[in-house]
């Protein structure tokens, strides 16, 4: 897989992508990261990437031209745009989910567009991006944090990125549920005991307990997930 990231802050990604699973996946040849500096696609001496919004109002809006030219630079010769999803991380986008991470992990290439300032010119969302995604109902300083989260969620699903697939298959959201609680040594800590069933050695009962706990937590904390068709 090739992951392209168009951003004003390439250095934001170098540290996290050089650690843990994203780094191991790259070292194993499962993924390459291509960080694209948006300012390299400006044409004035100030490398201007934003301007005042038409119609007035507070804040600055990122210009469409640098995004368009940056993405076009990633296309193979004779093609207008690179293959694969082109994703604008945006607070007005649909919420990113585990299903999106699975879908992205099957692509040979994906391109993330990171906005900043007040907004990105809507022609980028409408004409360049193939989809617009958000992490949730809150605002962060730019698209870098959401893009990094989406990259990590995607890369860890690549075959071989995690040595123990069973570990991933018991994560929250893998099967539409939150995961059951986890415990490790010591068996008693500050008066709090590990549930006895986990010490029983009875794997069938442990599996049933974990399923019961996963369902309980999902019902209590994420009724929206529990009410999804696969659980009704």
């Amino acid at each position: 897989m090739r992951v392209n990231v168009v951003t004003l802050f390439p250095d934001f990604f170098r540290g996290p992508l050089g650690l843990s699973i994203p780094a191991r996946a790259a070292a194993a040849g499962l993924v390459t990261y291509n960080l694209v500096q948006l300012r390299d696609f400006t044409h004035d001496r100030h490398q201007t990437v934003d301007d005042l919004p038409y119609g007035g109002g507070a804040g600055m809006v990122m210009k469409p031209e640098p995004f368009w030219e940056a993405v076009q630079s990633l296309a193979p010769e004779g093609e207008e745009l690179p293959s694969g999803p082109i994703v604008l991380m945006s607070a007005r986008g649909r919420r990113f989910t585990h299903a999106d991470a699975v879908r992205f992990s099957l692509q040979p290439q994906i391109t993330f567009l990171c906005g900043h300032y007040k907004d990105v010119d809507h022609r980028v969302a409408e004409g360049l991006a193939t989809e617009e995604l958000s992490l949730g109902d809150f605002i962060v300083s730019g698209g870098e944090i959401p893009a990094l989260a989406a990259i990590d969620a995607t890369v860890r699903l690549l075959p071989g990125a995690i040595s123990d697939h069973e570990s991933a298959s018991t994560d929250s959201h893998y099967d539409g549920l939150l995961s059951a609680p986890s415990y490790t040594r010591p068996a008693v800590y500050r008066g709090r005991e590990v549930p006895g069933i986990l010490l029983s050695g009875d794997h069938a009962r442990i599996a049933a307990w974990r399923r019961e706990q996963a369902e309980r937590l999902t019902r209590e904390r994420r009724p929206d997930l529990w009410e999804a068709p696969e659980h009704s």
Side-chain angles (χ1 to χ4, degrees):
M1 166 182 276
R2 178 181 176 89
V3 176
N4 304 307
V5 185
V6 179
T7 173
L8 289 173
F9 305 102
D11 287 344
F12 179 92
F13 294 88
R14 292 193 173 98
L17 295 181
L19 300 170
S20 189
I21 293 170
R24 292 201 299 271
L30 303 176
V31 62
T32 59
Y33 306 114
N34 179 34
L35 305 177
V36 180
Q37 171 55 262
L38 189 66
R39 292 191 191 277
D40 290 344
F41 296 89
T42 57
H43 302 286
D44 66 300
R45 64 189 182 94
H46 299 294
Q47 295 187 303
T48 304
V49 295
D50 61 328
D51 208 335
L52 296 169
Y54 278 125
M60 301 293 282
V61 176
M62 297 190 74
K63 296 164 64 66
E65 307 100 305
F67 277 109
W68 224 283
E69 292 182 27
V71 173
Q72 287 181 319
S73 76
L74 302 171
E77 187 174 351
E79 299 291 332
E80 175 75 8
L81 297 172
S83 63
I86 301 172
V87 183
L88 175 64
M89 305 307 297
S90 161
R92 68 170 63 88
R94 177 179 58 78
R95 185 176 296 181
F96 176 79
T97 68
H98 178 73
D100 293 309
V102 172
R103 176 168 58 89
F104 290 164
S105 73
L106 302 176
Q107 297 287 333
Q109 180 169 233
I110 183 169
T111 302
F112 290 94
L113 310 180
C114 300
H116 215 73
Y117 309 119
K118 173 66 175 176
D119 205 353
V120 175
D121 187 295
H122 193 60
R123 287 167 291 189
V124 174
E126 204 170 40
L128 178 61
T130 59
E131 52 195 294
E132 202 170 355
L133 294 177
S134 164
L135 277 192
D137 299 335
F138 57 91
I139 303 297
V140 291
S141 299
E144 286 75 19
I145 290 174
L148 182 60
I151 292 167
D152 187 279
T154 298
V155 167
R156 69 191 305 276
L157 297 176
L158 298 177
I162 297 178
S163 57
D164 181 5
H165 176 73
E166 185 180 354
S167 175
S169 69
T170 55
D171 286 343
S172 290
H173 305 293
Y174 189 91
D175 60 357
L177 297 173
L178 301 183
S179 64
S182 300
Y183 297 86
T184 188
R185 292 180 178 87
V188 180
Y189 182 68
R190 300 196 179 196
R192 296 178 180 271
E193 298 183 7
V194 173
I197 193 169
L198 297 178
L199 308 176
S200 69
D202 187 330
H203 297 295
R205 288 180 61 218
I206 290 171
W209 179 87
R210 285 178 169 155
R211 181 71 185 188
E212 177 186 299
Q213 292 297 308
E215 292 179 352
R216 177 183 64 81
L217 289 173
T218 304
R219 285 195 305 269
E220 291 175 359
R221 300 182 181 183
R222 290 295 303 274
D224 57 317
L225 294 178
W226 182 250
E227 291 165 8
E230 59 266 32
H231 303 304
S232 61

